[in-house]
Short mmCIF file of all heavy atoms in Angstrom, two decimals:
data_model
loop_
_atom_site.label_atom_id
_atom_site.label_comp_id
_atom_site.label_asym_id
_atom_site.label_seq_id
_atom_site.Cartn_x
_atom_site.Cartn_y
_atom_site.Cartn_z
N VAL A 430 16.67 -16.52 28.81
CA VAL A 430 16.37 -16.08 30.17
C VAL A 430 14.91 -15.66 30.30
O VAL A 430 14.34 -15.08 29.36
CB VAL A 430 17.29 -14.87 30.54
CG1 VAL A 430 16.83 -14.21 31.84
CG2 VAL A 430 18.75 -15.30 30.65
N LEU A 431 14.29 -16.01 31.41
CA LEU A 431 12.97 -15.51 31.78
C LEU A 431 13.11 -14.51 32.92
O LEU A 431 13.84 -14.78 33.89
CB LEU A 431 12.06 -16.65 32.26
CG LEU A 431 11.35 -17.51 31.21
CD1 LEU A 431 10.51 -18.56 31.92
CD2 LEU A 431 10.50 -16.65 30.27
N ALA A 432 12.42 -13.38 32.83
CA ALA A 432 12.43 -12.39 33.88
C ALA A 432 11.00 -12.00 34.21
O ALA A 432 10.23 -11.66 33.30
CB ALA A 432 13.24 -11.17 33.46
N TYR A 433 10.63 -12.06 35.50
CA TYR A 433 9.27 -11.75 35.94
C TYR A 433 9.25 -10.40 36.65
O TYR A 433 10.09 -10.12 37.51
CB TYR A 433 8.77 -12.83 36.88
CG TYR A 433 8.65 -14.22 36.27
CD1 TYR A 433 9.33 -15.30 36.83
CD2 TYR A 433 7.86 -14.43 35.16
CE1 TYR A 433 9.23 -16.58 36.27
CE2 TYR A 433 7.75 -15.69 34.59
CZ TYR A 433 8.42 -16.76 35.15
OH TYR A 433 8.31 -18.00 34.59
N PHE A 434 8.23 -9.60 36.30
CA PHE A 434 8.11 -8.26 36.87
C PHE A 434 6.72 -8.06 37.46
O PHE A 434 5.72 -8.44 36.84
CB PHE A 434 8.35 -7.18 35.80
CG PHE A 434 9.75 -7.13 35.26
CD1 PHE A 434 10.13 -7.96 34.22
CD2 PHE A 434 10.70 -6.32 35.84
CE1 PHE A 434 11.42 -7.95 33.72
CE2 PHE A 434 12.01 -6.29 35.35
CZ PHE A 434 12.37 -7.12 34.30
N ILE A 437 4.31 -3.78 34.97
CA ILE A 437 4.58 -3.79 33.54
C ILE A 437 5.50 -2.63 33.15
O ILE A 437 6.28 -2.72 32.21
CB ILE A 437 3.27 -3.80 32.72
CG1 ILE A 437 3.57 -4.27 31.27
CG2 ILE A 437 2.59 -2.44 32.75
CD1 ILE A 437 2.34 -4.66 30.49
N GLY A 440 9.05 -3.81 33.54
CA GLY A 440 9.43 -4.70 32.47
C GLY A 440 9.68 -3.94 31.16
O GLY A 440 10.63 -4.20 30.43
N GLU A 458 11.15 -10.68 24.04
CA GLU A 458 9.69 -10.81 23.97
C GLU A 458 9.06 -10.46 25.31
O GLU A 458 9.67 -10.69 26.38
CB GLU A 458 9.32 -12.23 23.60
CG GLU A 458 9.91 -12.72 22.29
CD GLU A 458 9.24 -12.07 21.10
OE1 GLU A 458 8.09 -12.40 20.80
OE2 GLU A 458 9.90 -11.23 20.44
N MET A 459 7.82 -9.96 25.26
CA MET A 459 7.10 -9.66 26.50
C MET A 459 5.66 -10.16 26.42
O MET A 459 5.04 -10.14 25.35
CB MET A 459 7.08 -8.16 26.78
CG MET A 459 6.31 -7.80 28.06
SD MET A 459 6.22 -5.99 28.36
CE MET A 459 7.83 -5.69 29.06
N MET A 460 5.15 -10.66 27.54
CA MET A 460 3.73 -10.97 27.70
C MET A 460 3.22 -10.32 28.96
O MET A 460 3.94 -10.30 29.98
CB MET A 460 3.53 -12.50 27.76
CG MET A 460 3.88 -13.24 26.49
SD MET A 460 3.40 -15.00 26.51
CE MET A 460 4.60 -15.64 27.64
N ASP A 461 2.00 -9.79 28.90
CA ASP A 461 1.43 -9.19 30.11
C ASP A 461 0.57 -10.21 30.88
O ASP A 461 0.50 -11.39 30.54
CB ASP A 461 0.65 -7.90 29.78
CG ASP A 461 -0.65 -8.17 29.02
OD1 ASP A 461 -1.01 -9.36 28.78
OD2 ASP A 461 -1.36 -7.19 28.69
N LYS A 462 -0.10 -9.73 31.92
CA LYS A 462 -0.82 -10.63 32.82
C LYS A 462 -1.91 -11.44 32.13
O LYS A 462 -2.06 -12.64 32.39
CB LYS A 462 -1.41 -9.83 33.98
CG LYS A 462 -1.98 -10.67 35.10
CD LYS A 462 -2.40 -9.79 36.27
CE LYS A 462 -2.90 -10.66 37.43
NZ LYS A 462 -3.21 -9.82 38.63
N ALA A 464 -2.10 -12.14 28.93
CA ALA A 464 -1.49 -13.09 28.02
C ALA A 464 -0.95 -14.30 28.77
O ALA A 464 -1.07 -15.45 28.30
CB ALA A 464 -0.36 -12.40 27.27
N ILE A 465 -0.37 -14.06 29.95
CA ILE A 465 0.14 -15.18 30.77
C ILE A 465 -1.01 -16.11 31.17
O ILE A 465 -0.89 -17.33 31.15
CB ILE A 465 0.86 -14.63 32.00
CG1 ILE A 465 2.18 -13.94 31.58
CG2 ILE A 465 1.14 -15.73 33.01
CD1 ILE A 465 2.81 -13.12 32.65
N VAL A 468 -1.63 -18.31 28.00
CA VAL A 468 -0.65 -19.37 27.67
C VAL A 468 -0.54 -20.41 28.78
O VAL A 468 -0.24 -21.58 28.49
CB VAL A 468 0.75 -18.74 27.38
CG1 VAL A 468 0.69 -17.83 26.15
CG2 VAL A 468 1.32 -17.99 28.59
N HIS A 477 4.47 -20.00 34.62
CA HIS A 477 4.58 -18.58 34.88
C HIS A 477 3.66 -18.21 36.06
O HIS A 477 2.50 -18.64 36.10
CB HIS A 477 4.14 -17.75 33.67
CG HIS A 477 5.00 -17.91 32.47
ND1 HIS A 477 6.37 -17.94 32.53
CD2 HIS A 477 4.68 -18.03 31.14
CE1 HIS A 477 6.86 -18.08 31.29
NE2 HIS A 477 5.84 -18.14 30.43
N PRO A 478 4.12 -17.40 37.01
CA PRO A 478 3.25 -16.95 38.09
C PRO A 478 2.05 -16.17 37.52
O PRO A 478 2.21 -15.34 36.62
CB PRO A 478 4.16 -16.01 38.92
CG PRO A 478 5.54 -16.42 38.58
CD PRO A 478 5.50 -16.87 37.15
N ILE A 481 1.92 -11.94 38.35
CA ILE A 481 2.81 -10.93 37.88
C ILE A 481 2.18 -10.16 36.71
O ILE A 481 1.23 -10.60 36.09
CB ILE A 481 4.16 -11.53 37.38
CG1 ILE A 481 3.91 -12.53 36.24
CG2 ILE A 481 4.91 -12.18 38.53
CD1 ILE A 481 5.16 -12.93 35.51
N GLU A 482 2.71 -8.96 36.42
CA GLU A 482 2.17 -8.13 35.36
C GLU A 482 2.89 -8.30 34.04
O GLU A 482 2.35 -8.00 32.99
CB GLU A 482 2.21 -6.64 35.75
CG GLU A 482 1.16 -6.26 36.76
CD GLU A 482 0.98 -4.73 36.85
OE1 GLU A 482 1.63 -4.00 36.08
OE2 GLU A 482 0.19 -4.30 37.69
N ALA A 483 4.15 -8.82 34.07
CA ALA A 483 4.90 -8.96 32.82
C ALA A 483 5.98 -10.03 32.95
O ALA A 483 6.58 -10.19 34.02
CB ALA A 483 5.52 -7.63 32.44
N VAL A 484 6.19 -10.73 31.86
CA VAL A 484 7.32 -11.65 31.76
C VAL A 484 8.10 -11.28 30.50
O VAL A 484 7.54 -10.99 29.45
CB VAL A 484 6.87 -13.12 31.67
CG1 VAL A 484 5.92 -13.38 30.52
CG2 VAL A 484 8.08 -14.05 31.57
N LEU A 485 9.43 -11.24 30.61
CA LEU A 485 10.31 -11.04 29.49
C LEU A 485 10.97 -12.38 29.14
O LEU A 485 11.45 -13.07 30.03
CB LEU A 485 11.40 -10.02 29.78
CG LEU A 485 11.01 -8.54 29.91
CD1 LEU A 485 12.26 -7.70 30.13
CD2 LEU A 485 10.25 -8.04 28.70
N LEU A 486 11.00 -12.69 27.86
CA LEU A 486 11.72 -13.88 27.35
C LEU A 486 12.87 -13.32 26.52
O LEU A 486 12.64 -12.67 25.48
CB LEU A 486 10.79 -14.75 26.52
CG LEU A 486 11.41 -16.01 25.91
CD1 LEU A 486 11.90 -16.96 27.00
CD2 LEU A 486 10.35 -16.72 25.04
N ASN A 530 5.66 -22.12 24.51
CA ASN A 530 4.68 -21.35 25.30
C ASN A 530 4.43 -20.00 24.67
O ASN A 530 3.30 -19.58 24.49
CB ASN A 530 5.21 -21.24 26.72
CG ASN A 530 4.33 -20.39 27.62
OD1 ASN A 530 4.47 -19.17 27.67
ND2 ASN A 530 3.42 -21.03 28.37
#
Side-chain angles (χ1 to χ4, degrees):
V430 169
L431 278 181
Y433 297 123
F434 293 87
I437 198 166
E458 303 287 289
M459 179 183 280
M460 295 188 287
D461 70 2
K462 188 173 184 176
I465 292 167
V468 297
H477 296 317
I481 59 166
E482 286 195 3
V484 57
L485 290 183
L486 180 61
N530 176 274

